[in-house]
Amino acid sequence: MNAFRLAGDITHLISILVLLLKIYATKSCSGISLKTQELYAVVFLARYLDLFTDFISVYNSVMKVVFILSSVAIVWCMRRHRAVKRSYDKELDTFRHYYLVGACFVFALLVHEKFTFQEVFWAFSIYLEAVAIIPQLVLLQRSGNVDNLTGQYVFFLGAYRALYILNWIYRYFTEAKFSRWIACISGLVQTALYADFFYYYFLSWKNNAKLNLPA
Amino acid sequence: ELEPPPKDEL
């Protein structure tokens, strides 16, 4: 465990806490894509199938459980909680996310480290995580405004991605056996998607204008 | 065949 990875995990956790706080404090999920949140829940459920078969550390197991529970809790709130449900921007959140799930699964069947149930689902979760933010970006683009907490949520998610890349660079140079090319390439794609968002988010903040993402 | 390293990242 290096400092970059720990900081990456912490910012990832903070992003989820910020989102839960926003939903809990404002009883509103306006500006949040349910589809992205559903994809994240699927990502964690598919990736952490090893929770009962491989023990890494207490830290690792606890974080896995926290990520699964918090992502499922967010989806549950947005779907079932009466007040929160009402604030959901359903007509703006129209990205067909099932296509992403299907495409990532087919890709995982083709590109994986080993053709086993667990390995295919692991690769699937990595690919799906890389593109899971797309419905959220589409929603932000359509609504054209980002409230503070939603902005911070996306900011912390982006920080997590950037720190994980530093972690991989660090591990590449310090660990003889480190080769996670599936995770690294997918991570770069994911970070590029965020970089695009950050650029327009920065512009809108600088000009004090509404966030305007190009199609 | 090389044993793949354990998946220790989250």
Side-chain angles (χ1 to χ4, degrees):
Chain A
M1 172 69 87
N2 61 63
F4 299 119
R5 178 141 69 100
L6 181 63
D9 289 344
I10 300 298
T11 46
H12 194 184
L13 193 60
I14 291 175
S15 74
I16 294 170
L17 292 178
V18 165
L19 188 53
L20 275 169
L21 176 78
K22 172 196 156 75
I23 293 174
Y24 180 78
T26 64
K27 295 283 180 287
S28 158
C29 62
S30 146
I32 300 295
S33 164
L34 173 62
K35 299 191 169 177
T36 283
Q37 297 307 317
E38 285 177 345
L39 293 180
Y40 280 133
V42 171
V43 162
F44 293 134
L45 287 168
R47 188 176 307 164
Y48 301 153
L49 289 173
D50 63 356
L51 196 53
F52 301 102
T53 57
D54 299 285
F55 180 77
I56 310 282
S57 65
V58 174
Y59 167 83
N60 187 276
S61 299
V62 169
M63 289 292 262
K64 282 175 176 171
V65 172
V66 168
F67 282 143
I68 290 173
L69 291 181
S70 54
S71 62
V72 170
I74 289 168
V75 171
W76 183 86
C77 269
M78 291 182 74
R79 279 183 167 278
R80 292 277 178 262
H81 190 286
R82 199 183 294 169
V84 176
K85 203 167 72 178
R86 220 180 295 134
S87 61
Y88 171 50
D89 304 315
K90 195 177 177 184
E91 63 290 345
L92 296 175
D93 193 19
T94 53
F95 191 87
R96 288 182 174 77
H97 63 328
Y98 296 113
Y99 289 134
L100 290 179
V101 175
C104 289
F105 193 74
V106 170
F107 198 59
L109 286 173
L110 300 171
V111 184
H112 45 255
E113 290 184 2
K114 236 200 240 172
F115 192 64
T116 64
F117 184 79
Q118 212 158 298
E119 286 292 332
V120 167
F121 273 89
W122 180 83
F124 162 68
S125 82
I126 295 288
Y127 303 142
L128 193 60
E129 187 188 352
V131 294
I133 195 68
I134 292 175
Q136 178 66 59
L137 295 181
V138 168
L139 192 152
L140 289 180
Q141 183 194 336
R142 290 198 178 145
S143 67
N145 81 74
V146 183
D147 66 55
N148 283 341
L149 283 169
T150 307
Q152 277 151 15
Y153 165 66
V154 181
F155 171 80
F156 279 113
L157 263 183
Y160 145 65
R161 297 313 317 169
L163 286 162
Y164 252 70
I165 286 189
L166 295 178
N167 155 57
W168 290 327
I169 294 170
Y170 180 86
R171 293 188 78 173
Y172 179 79
F173 285 110
T174 55
E175 290 174 34
K177 283 204 304 186
F178 185 71
S179 61
R180 269 274 172 273
W181 60 272
I182 287 182
C184 293
I185 292 171
S186 308
L188 283 173
V189 170
Q190 189 179 357
T191 311
L193 287 171
Y194 282 97
D196 194 52
F197 168 80
F198 269 112
Y199 175 71
Y200 292 103
Y201 189 58
F202 173 74
L203 279 187
S204 72
W205 170 78
K206 204 179 85 179
N207 302 328
N208 199 18
K210 274 191 170 184
L211 183 71
N212 189 16
L213 299 161
Chain B
E1 201 184 323
L2 279 168
E3 185 71 20
K7 292 182 166 46
D8 56 350
E9 292 182 350
L10 290 165

